[in-house]
Amino acid sequence: MKVVRFHAPGDVRIEDAPEPTRTGGDVLIRVHNCSTCGTDVKIFKFGHHHIRPPRVMGHEIAGEVVDGGDTGWQAGDRVQVIAAIPCGQCGECRRGRMTVCPNQESMGYHYDGGFAELMLVPAKVLAVDGLNRIPSGIGYAEASVAEPLACVLNGQELARVGEGDDVVVMGAGPIGCLHVRLARARGARRVFLVDLNAERLALSASRVEPDAAICGADTDVVDEVRKLTDGRGADVVITAAAAKAAQEQAFALCARQARISFFGGLPKDDPVIRVDSNLVHYQELTIVGANGSSPTHNKRALDLIASGAVPVADLITHRLPVTEALEAFDIVARGAAIKVTIEP
C-alpha cells in the first residue's frame, strides 16, 4: 500500500509499505479520509520530539473497519479516530482533564497515522473510548474534520464562549473558520474574523460569513474592533494563529472581563510575549490556553457536524490522493486552501 512517511525534517516520502496485520485488541481500518493541518506542515519542516522516524503521518482520520477482531467492532463500521490518546489512568485523567494527560500519545506521532490506505487503531484508543461511530448522513471527509473541531470545542469551552458575546477570531485558516462557526452555534452575538493575508481572509469569509472580516495588512485591527463594538472591545478574543503579534494584540481588543484564548502555540525557540499585567488586573481579564481535545470532545464534535450546527463540508476545498500528499502540504503552507483532505 502507499503511505506518507516522515524520515527527517524536510524528508517526507511517498512510499510502498506492507499492509498492517491486526493483533491483540487493535482494530484494522481502511482509511477513506485523513485531512491535513498546519501541524503536518510543521512536522514536515521541523519534525517533532515525539516522532521516532520512520513514521506514517496523519492524525485527522476517518475510515471503515476491515477487521475488528473480538473488540465488538464489525467490518463495514464507519469510524472516526481520536488523534490525542490520553492514558485514562493518571491523576489528570481521573479528574476528567484528559486534554492535559502527561502520558498522552498521538496518532501519527507514537503510532502510524492515517496517510495510508490501511491503518491500525491501537487498543489504547479503544481503552479510552476513542474510536467513534460516524453518524449517518455525514461522509468520511466531514467526519475527519471532527478532530480539529474537537480541539476548537475544547478551546471555546475553556474561554466560555456563549450567548451574547462579541468574539474576535484572529487567523482565517481552517481552525479560524471552525471557531467562527462554533461561536455562532454557541450563541455569540457577533463574530469578527481577522487575518493579515487578504486572499485567505476573503476565501474563508466567503464560506463562514463573519459579521466583519478585518485585514490587518491594511486596517488598524484594534481601531476597527473598537468601532464595531461601540468602544467596548470584544468579550472573547481567540488567537487561532501561531504568532506573537496576535497574542500581544489580543489584549488591546478586549472589553472588561473579557476572555483571551491562546489557541495557537508559539515556536518553542521564541515563546515569550509582553503582557501589560495591570491591564489584566484592572480589567479583570482571563487568559486561557487550549491544548488538543479529549475523546468526549471528538464525540460531541461529530454530533455538531451531523446535526448541522457546525457545517464543515464547504470548508473542504481540496481533495487529493495520498500520492499527492506533498502537494497538499504545500497548499496548506501557502494558505491557498481552507481544508485539504487526503483520500487514500
Side-chain angles (χ1 to χ4, degrees):
M1 65 175 185
K2 294 292 185 183
V3 301
V4 180
R5 189 175 276 145
F6 173 88
H7 287 269
D11 183 9
V12 173
R13 309 172 198 170
I14 312 299
E15 297 181 327
D16 290 312
E19 294 183 354
T21 302
R22 193 200 66 78
T23 59
D26 296 347
V27 171
L28 179 66
I29 69 169
R30 182 172 305 281
V31 179
H32 283 260
N33 285 88
C34 185
S35 292
T36 63
C37 74
T39 300
D40 296 315
V41 175
K42 285 193 288 186
I43 291 171
F44 171 71
K45 291 181 177 179
F46 308 113
H48 192 280
H49 64 282
H50 284 312
I51 295 179
R52 294 183 179 178
R55 174 67 68 213
V56 178
M57 298 171 61
H59 59 273
E60 299 182 8
I61 306 159
E64 176 186 0
V65 173
V66 174
D67 183 359
D70 59 0
T71 64
W73 291 97
Q74 304 297 320
D77 286 344
R78 301 166 70 241
V79 293
Q80 180 261 347
V81 187
I82 60 172
I85 311 167
C87 72
Q89 304 297 322
C90 70
E92 302 303 335
C93 286
R94 290 198 302 271
R95 289 174 173 84
R97 303 170 184 165
M98 285 190 167
T99 59
V100 290
C101 170
N103 306 314
Q104 178 181 289
E105 296 180 319
S106 298
M107 298 304 301
Y109 294 69
H110 302 84
Y111 303 96
D112 282 343
F115 292 147
E117 297 172 46
L118 294 167
M119 188 197 81
L120 287 173
V121 179
K124 286 185 176 182
V125 169
L126 277 66
V128 292
D129 197 19
L131 187 61
N132 301 308
R133 193 175 302 277
I134 299 173
S136 60
I138 66 172
Y140 291 106
E142 294 167 90
S144 72
V145 183
E147 192 281 327
L149 178 57
C151 299
V152 167
L153 177 59
N154 177 45
Q156 291 205 14
E157 287 184 341
L158 290 166
R160 307 192 314 279
V161 175
E163 292 287 338
D165 283 336
D166 280 338
V167 179
V168 172
V169 178
M170 306 182 76
I175 291 294
C177 288
L178 291 173
H179 270 298
V180 172
R181 286 206 163 145
L182 181 62
R184 285 233 175 87
R186 292 176 65 87
R189 184 169 76 104
R190 294 180 297 180
V191 187
F192 310 127
L193 184 60
V194 178
D195 204 286
L196 289 170
N197 184 323
E199 291 184 4
R200 180 167 70 171
L201 179 63
L203 174 62
S204 296
S206 71
R207 305 294 172 106
V208 299
E209 299 182 341
D211 293 276
I214 306 169
C215 181
D218 54 31
T219 303
D220 185 319
V221 175
V222 175
D223 182 61
E224 187 65 17
V225 169
R226 292 288 170 184
K227 288 178 182 176
L228 289 165
T229 58
D230 298 320
R232 282 189 69 245
D235 300 291
V236 182
V237 180
I238 299 168
T239 60
K244 292 175 67 172
Q247 291 190 356
E248 291 179 347
Q249 189 178 56
F251 295 89
L253 303 174
C254 286
R256 294 175 184 274
Q257 289 195 341
R259 290 88 70 197
I260 298 171
S261 172
F262 284 174
F263 191 89
L266 298 181
K268 288 181 169 52
D269 60 351
D270 191 18
V272 179
I273 66 169
R274 293 175 60 86
V275 175
D276 183 340
S277 178
N278 278 343
L279 191 66
V280 176
H281 173 68
Y282 287 110
Q283 294 195 11
E284 298 186 353
L285 304 182
T286 300
I287 307 165
V288 296
N291 176 42
S293 62
S294 69
T296 299
H297 286 124
N298 277 254
K299 293 184 189 303
R300 292 170 55 203
L302 278 170
D303 289 340
L304 286 165
I305 294 169
S307 70
V310 181
V312 300
D314 62 332
L315 301 182
I316 301 168
T317 54
H318 294 67
R319 297 170 182 256
L320 298 174
V322 71
T323 53
E324 297 179 20
L326 299 184
E327 288 85 345
F329 294 168
D330 180 63
I331 291 168
V332 173
R334 290 187 285 109
I338 300 180
K339 200 67 182 168
V340 181
T341 192
I342 299 297
E343 298 182 323

